[in-house]
Amino acid sequence: MKKINYIISFIFATILFIFIFFTTSKIENLNYKISRISNLTQTFYEAKFDLLKEKDNKIILKKLKYYLDKNKDILNKDLLDNYPIDESNILYSLDFLIIKLENYKKSLINNIKNFKNTRDISYMLFFIYIIFALSFEVYRLNKIDKKTSEYLDNILYKNYDFNISNNSFLEKDQILNKLDILKNNLKTIEEVEDVEDVIFKGYSIKETLEEIYSNDKFKKYIKYNRMGFATLEGDLIVTKHNILDKGLNQYLNEGFSVKYNESNLKKLIENNEIRIINDLEKYYQDTDSSYIKLLLNEGFKSNISIPLRKNNGNILGIFFLSSLEKNAYTEIDKKKLNSIIKFLTYSFEKSLLIEDLLTSTIISFVRLVEVKDPETSHHIERMAIYSKIIAKNLSKYNNSINIFFIENIFKAAPLHDIGKVGIADSILLKPGKLTTEEFEIMKTHSTIGANILRSFKENIKRHHIDIFDYAIDVASSHHEKWDGTGYPKGLKGDEIPLAARIVSIADVFDALSNKRIYKKAFSFDESVNMIKEMKGKNFDPLIVDVFLESLPEIKEVYEELKEV
């Protein structure tokens, strides 16, 4: 009879375990599908963007059919058969397919929730079964005393903050040891579920980090006084976000970068391993790492680094935790972090997708200006690159310019004339000189553009997209002059935002060196000389000097993208 009971119990436990494994596999499979559908949706957005740029429709159509065919294994047959791409109205087809894909992704997310609920119930039954089996076995041996009964009660009511002592049950030490392991495993599962809820609260990476950092449950899960996130940008590892305890001085700033091939993180990323450094001082003596030196300057003694990878294997970024204590992290902490790596990766990947979608929306804004004022042609592309070159070279003289400033000015520069969508065509496209009244109306495009961008920033303020701060400065102040004679506010000198001072030179130089409705194109050298003449009048003298230093790079762009 006893043997039969054991067999039945084993079969029951096996069925539960298989069911848990099955639901977990389904969840991972659905997450994989969601990732691929997100990538496919992004491809459609890019195709739509290309169509708006009037690229070859046949090439785009071929590309779309290729990606649909490539992903047919994860798509609804209904989607593929009933909603083909209409070549005569490809934009409409794209919008329709994007909506269908988004709805499909929502249904998959709902399926994940259902599977999670089922899995959680299975977990509960599995662990209730284990607790029941252990309890029954102890009772059967007639060796249960009062203290052991209290231990089981604590576990059943999820009170895990107690230590098990073998003194109360010396002849059954092995059972008590297993009970202690069970307690710790159950506690870890409870903690992971709590932490999972925290991780998915943010909408941007910065917001997600802030939610995690300030949450008491996560602080209880693992110790830290600093949290950071870095990404791989080309051949550089770039620090994107940092959060420190209040009162600590920050030396490792956002935008700090090291070359990937020269970084100690290279091996970590390639081996996809969690790295613990419990003595940063000794580690620095062995490596002379600039990153570690900055952490030491902030007062940190221990650090743990966790690479996050997408489903396709590509590196998403590196998550860092640091402690003011030496020997702060153990192998148990590695296991804890391994338990939540998938949650972190999915959450950060979702945040990056949101930021990419917002960037696509910004680019669509720029195209509004191009449609409104077709004379600009490559103007927007050229002056954005000119602005990036000037900002990069200006960073040698200005410590406030980091990689984020350079990236944001490149994205914000094309929005400098967004306000022209509010100017009447009769004025905007007038081939001759504007009257005084018309010019006053034209000048309002700076204010109109800034107001448009402020409104957009307000509507998405929870996403912390820094580019709008730069874009507002550029749109409102790119016609201000160093000597205070510009518009709309007559700002003077350093009162003019730095981003606007940079963009104004790039904008004017490109306008001078290319043909417009109202003027001929000046030669490259003539345009450079005219910029020189405006030094200290229209433009910041230092930025003019940097512009002149940058002429070899600027001329290369000019030759490649100049109007034919």
Side-chain angles (χ1 to χ4, degrees), residues 69 81 100 150 259 298-299 436 490 535 547:
D69 185 65
D81 293 343
K100 282 289 179 180
E150 289 177 5
K259 288 187 176 180
E298 292 176 349
T436 302
K535 178 179 178 180
F547 167 79

Side-chain angles (χ1 to χ4, degrees), residues 5 7 13 16 42 61 117 145 149 160 166 169 182 209 226 306 340 393 395 406 431 439 454 463 472 522:
N5 287 338
I7 292 173
L16 279 176
Q42 181 63 26
L61 185 62
N117 290 337
D145 63 5
S149 179
Y160 307 120
N166 290 339
F169 206 178
L182 172 63
L209 285 175
R226 187 187 205 286
I306 310 100
I340 63 170
N393 293 329
S395 65
I406 295 168
F439 184 61
R454 285 192 191 97
H463 296 292
I472 291 167
F522 295 101

